[in-house]
Amino acid sequence: MTDSSKRPIAVFDLDNTLADTAHRQRFLEGKPRDWDAFFAAAPDDPPIPEGIALVLESAKECEIVYLTGRPERCRRDTLDWLAAQGLPDGRVHMRRNDDRRPARRTKLEILRRLARTRDVRVLVDDDELVCGDAERAGFPVVRAHWTAPSAALETAQEVEGRT
């Protein structure tokens, strides 16, 4: 049951939705993939104007929640990046460091948990599989198609359970 006394929530992915990861994709293209370097470069991600504008607009009516496949060990860098962009405070849900399930499973699990007590107004994400599963589960979705798709990142999200 939802709590109607609380504002609805708008849920935003980070990588390639709010943060442009193009400069660090190179760390995923080789074998083996260099995950430490990939995540270490995240603080240098440029913001994506379309995503940032949508967060700021959504914050007028909704509480903002960030839902990322980044591992928990990246929390400090992630919080610092969000603050540096002037984004609204909000809960940040991250993947456990040892969680290698596909992003569509971990994110849908969290969305369903959030929906037990709150109205989820929208999910904004770039991952087509996450978006499709969320829509089939009844969540409103905005597909963040404002960056070029990355085959390496898609594999990381869905096969390797890394982001």
Side-chain angles (χ1 to χ4, degrees):
M1 173 176 258
T2 60
D3 182 345
S4 59
S5 68
K6 295 183 181 175
R7 294 170 72 195
I9 58 176
V11 182
F12 284 83
D13 173 47
L14 294 178
D15 292 337
N16 288 335
T17 298
L18 302 178
D20 188 344
T21 65
H23 72 101
R24 55 187 170 111
Q25 293 298 317
R26 68 185 187 277
F27 297 116
L28 301 183
E29 292 166 359
K31 297 284 184 188
R33 299 182 199 283
D34 189 346
W35 291 105
D36 290 337
F38 178 77
F39 289 119
D44 298 325
D45 289 354
I48 300 171
E50 296 91 338
I52 300 298
L54 192 53
V55 171
L56 296 175
E57 183 63 28
S58 297
K60 293 176 183 175
E61 295 183 13
C62 298
E63 178 182 326
I64 302 300
V65 173
Y66 302 99
L67 176 56
T68 180
R70 291 180 185 184
E72 186 64 42
R73 70 180 180 273
C74 299
R75 180 169 292 276
R76 174 67 358 218
D77 284 344
T78 299
L79 294 175
D80 290 347
W81 186 90
L82 290 167
Q85 308 317 310
L87 291 172
D89 289 337
R91 289 175 288 162
V92 179
H93 294 272
M94 303 182 86
R95 181 188 295 274
R96 288 187 328 268
N97 289 329
D98 62 349
D99 188 347
R100 299 288 185 264
R101 294 175 296 156
R104 65 184 186 274
R105 287 194 46 216
T106 60
K107 288 184 175 184
L108 192 57
E109 180 181 291
I110 292 168
L111 281 171
R112 285 182 169 139
R113 188 176 339 130
L114 291 169
R116 284 187 211 133
T117 59
R118 300 293 289 278
D119 172 34
V120 177
R121 176 78 50 91
V122 68
L123 166 69
V124 183
D125 202 301
D126 69 306
D127 184 322
E128 196 58 44
L129 295 172
V130 169
C131 291
D133 282 3
E135 283 177 330
R136 283 188 288 282
F139 294 101
V141 169
V142 169
R143 284 170 168 77
H145 289 302
W146 34 78
T147 61
S150 162
L153 191 58
E154 183 178 335
T155 298
Q157 292 169 327
E158 297 305 325
V159 178
E160 297 176 18
R162 292 289 193 147
T163 184

